[in-house]
Amino acid sequence: MDPTTSGRFRVHDRRRRPDIDGESDGGAAGADAEEFVLVELADEPVDPTAPDAEDRYDPLYATAEGYEGDLGEAVDALRPGFVVDATLAWTDGSARFREVEVVRETRFRFADGVEGMFEAAVETWRQIRAEGEPVGSITTRSNDGDPNGALYLFADAPGSDTFDEVRTGRLPIEPLVARVNESRDDDGPREVFVLRPAAHEFVAVYVVFDRDGVLAQTVRDTYDLGAGLAAGLDASYPGGEGDAPASDVPDDASGDADDSDGDGPLDGDDDFDALDRL
């Protein structure tokens, strides 16, 4: 009998297993097969200062193809960002879903080389660089002044590929999402946009609080990342994959940047430090 692992996982992405250290590893499924990048979610918050904290977010890979019946339909419906309860069976070092159930339909959307990066991100990045910092964060607000998103910016220095590290799960962003979830009164799914602008050397991780709200729809429209204001939320949502660049975000798309004494998203007073890469 194959060994199994059961738990709660974040579906981080669906892709071929990344080439790490120059050695491509397609697992038992084969070099050309697609796999899900999964991150196991801890039952309790992870202390970023703990010696094994980074290991808690090591990605694992599950075969995305070759399922049949109800399980096949369930696996085909998975999208990056979904949280699932799953049982994985391990064969020859590769994992396959034995059971899977979606428990939260948060979405991750990735776009590389985007044009027209929205103003809140650009202005915040200028402030961060002026202070000599490689990482920063703000809370964005709607026109009514209500918080609507947590925006994190990471330097994309020459010789590094921060966007790819985020997309493959090697640079964990789960703590950023977890922090938002812990701070909100609602239990709704989020929309997480990972954007690398063509004209700036940073990567933005934008955790939008309301997946079905105007802000999330506007960002999807702007960067051609799925159903948005123009199309409305039709029956195909939350589908609509895409990594295409697009035009400028309207000035009011993300609201005004929060300039609250550098406390960062959600005005938290905890000791979370994005420099820990956690």
Side-chain angles (χ1 to χ4, degrees), residues 10 81-84 102-106 181 186-190:
R10 174 83 67 185
F82 280 19
V83 175
V84 300
V102 176
V103 297
R104 191 182 182 102
E105 291 187 350
T106 288
N181 289 340
D186 65 274
D187 192 36
R190 317 297 172 200

Side-chain angles (χ1 to χ4, degrees), residues 6-107:
S6 296
R8 181 159 291 187
F9 303 89
R10 174 83 67 185
V11 179
H12 206 280
D13 195 15
R14 176 172 176 161
R15 58 180 296 162
R16 291 179 57 189
R17 184 176 296 196
D19 187 348
I20 300 174
D21 298 330
E23 297 182 1
S24 180
D25 182 4
D32 295 327
E34 288 192 344
E35 296 179 307
F36 287 107
V37 182
L38 304 177
V39 175
E40 186 172 7
L41 304 186
D43 293 333
E44 301 292 338
V46 176
D47 180 358
T49 64
D52 63 345
E54 189 166 354
D55 294 339
R56 293 295 295 111
Y57 298 107
D58 278 348
L60 59 89
Y61 305 90
T63 302
E65 303 169 346
Y67 300 92
E68 299 179 352
D70 292 342
L71 180 59
E73 293 179 4
V75 171
D76 287 343
L78 297 181
R79 297 291 182 269
F82 280 19
V83 175
V84 300
D85 286 338
T87 297
L88 303 173
W90 298 84
T91 304
D92 297 329
S94 184
R96 291 182 61 83
F97 286 106
R98 181 75 58 82
E99 299 175 350
V100 62
E101 179 183 3
V102 176
V103 297
R104 191 182 182 102
E105 291 187 350
T106 288
R107 282 302 314 269

Side-chain angles (χ1 to χ4, degrees), residues 190-229:
R190 317 297 172 200
E191 192 99 348
V192 182
F193 299 94
V194 181
L195 310 171
R196 176 159 58 184
H200 304 280
E201 294 182 348
F202 68 83
V203 172
V205 178
Y206 196 10
V207 185
V208 176
F209 298 160
D210 183 1
R211 191 197 70 183
D212 297 337
V214 172
L215 173 58
Q217 295 177 58
T218 302
V219 177
R220 288 196 297 269
D221 263 347
T222 301
Y223 299 113
D224 194 19
L225 294 174
L229 288 173

Side-chain angles (χ1 to χ4, degrees), residues 45-187:
V46 176
D47 180 358
T49 64
D52 63 345
E54 189 166 354
D55 294 339
R56 293 295 295 111
Y57 298 107
D58 278 348
L60 59 89
Y61 305 90
T63 302
E65 303 169 346
Y67 300 92
E68 299 179 352
D70 292 342
L71 180 59
E73 293 179 4
V75 171
D76 287 343
L78 297 181
R79 297 291 182 269
F82 280 19
V83 175
V84 300
D85 286 338
T87 297
L88 303 173
W90 298 84
T91 304
D92 297 329
S94 184
R96 291 182 61 83
F97 286 106
R98 181 75 58 82
E99 299 175 350
V100 62
E101 179 183 3
V102 176
V103 297
R104 191 182 182 102
E105 291 187 350
T106 288
R107 282 302 314 269
F108 284 5
R109 298 184 187 270
F110 303 89
D112 194 3
V114 301
E115 303 288 346
M117 195 65 182
F118 54 91
E119 184 177 354
V122 174
E123 289 301 317
T124 300
W125 181 244
R126 289 171 180 163
Q127 295 174 17
I128 293 169
R129 299 310 292 158
E131 296 169 359
E133 299 294 339
V135 177
S137 57
I138 62 167
T139 299
T140 60
R141 299 179 181 274
S142 69
N143 290 336
D144 295 330
D146 297 324
N148 60 7
L151 175 64
Y152 300 86
L153 303 178
F154 297 84
D156 195 24
S160 66
D161 194 337
T162 303
F163 181 85
D164 188 64
E165 288 185 352
V166 171
R167 186 161 194 172
T168 58
R170 297 197 296 272
L171 174 55
I173 59 173
E174 186 59 38
L176 309 182
V177 182
R179 184 180 180 186
V180 169
N181 289 340
E182 292 166 7
S183 70
R184 303 295 294 168
D185 293 332
D186 65 274
D187 192 36

